[in-house]
Amino acid sequence: MNRGIVPGTFDPVTSGHLDVIVRASGLFDELVIGVAHSENKNGGGPLFSIDERVELIERATAHLSNVSVRPFDTLLVNFAEEVGASVIIKGLRVVTDFEREFQMAALNWRLDSKIETMFIMAIPEYMYLSSSAVREIARHGGAVRGLVPDVVCEALERKVNEAR
Ligand code: PNS
């Protein structure tokens, strides 16, 4: 069984993430989406709770029969081992991603050299898309349709209205 893992914070999952997930799901028998709790990322907590982030990805990937979604709050290599995945798949966008991704891949290799990291290049349309940009656009009432799966669009609208 050839199993891969796509890890991330997914706060929230974007159309760019989904594109990488769809393409990776075609390369593996099974693909696990690992949603990191990331409670202290950038000082504040994520906009969406871990349960909300998991549910949004589940709904956005419901059409992909070999994809499952699981939260994790451990080292990524330990979680990969736990779910039986031997390859970590990350999306790579603009060059600024490279340094951070290179560091994480090197450290993960240092922690467990049996687990390989593989990168899938974002398509040009999504090169500059990020969860943080999506959150900011939504917070200021801008249009996020197309930048995120439709289920996320609705969830973002609800979150922004709740905060008002
Ligand atoms: O979506 P993100 O924030 O780029 O994802 C980063 C993530 C969750 C993949 C990374 O922070 C991670 O692997 N966290 C788990 C803890 C861990 O293993 N850290 C060491 C990796 S260098």
Side-chain angles (χ1 to χ4, degrees):
M1 180 69 73
N2 189 0
R3 193 173 289 145
I5 179 165
V6 178
T9 303
F10 304 110
D11 185 36
V13 64
T14 67
S15 300
H17 290 133
L18 191 58
D19 177 60
V20 168
I21 291 169
V22 168
R23 288 157 66 196
S25 74
L27 301 174
F28 292 87
D29 298 321
E30 280 184 13
L31 194 67
V32 178
I33 313 303
V35 187
H37 281 242
S38 299
E39 286 305 337
N40 292 318
K41 211 184 161 193
N42 303 326
L47 177 65
F48 288 96
S49 71
I50 185 68
D51 291 344
E52 289 171 328
R53 284 177 278 144
V54 166
E55 193 199 326
L56 288 172
I57 304 169
E58 274 172 352
R59 292 173 64 192
T61 60
H63 61 297
L64 301 168
S65 59
N66 64 339
V67 171
S68 60
V69 189
R70 288 188 49 180
F72 75 101
D73 200 14
T74 59
L75 279 177
L76 174 57
V77 289
N78 292 349
F79 183 63
E81 181 93 24
E82 185 191 320
V83 299
S86 52
V87 183
I88 294 166
I89 305 103
K90 303 289 302 273
L92 204 55
R93 299 165 301 181
V94 286
V95 282
T96 45
D97 269 350
F98 186 78
E99 198 174 330
R100 181 168 176 263
E101 293 299 342
F102 187 78
Q103 182 190 29
M104 284 197 277
L107 287 171
N108 284 330
W109 183 83
R110 181 73 182 69
L111 291 167
D112 188 343
S113 60
K114 295 186 300 305
I115 297 177
E116 198 60 75
T117 300
M118 195 182 108
F119 293 99
I120 290 186
M121 292 299 298
I123 58 170
E125 198 182 334
Y126 299 139
M127 277 277 173
Y128 293 92
L129 183 56
S130 68
S131 295
S132 58
V134 162
R135 289 196 305 274
E136 188 158 320
I137 294 168
R139 199 175 293 128
H140 294 291
V144 292
R145 199 159 290 279
L147 301 181
V148 291
D150 287 349
V151 285
V152 176
C153 231
E154 285 137 32
L156 267 169
E157 265 171 37
R158 276 198 303 277
K159 273 275 175 217
V160 169
N161 287 335
E162 266 168 36
R164 282 206 172 111

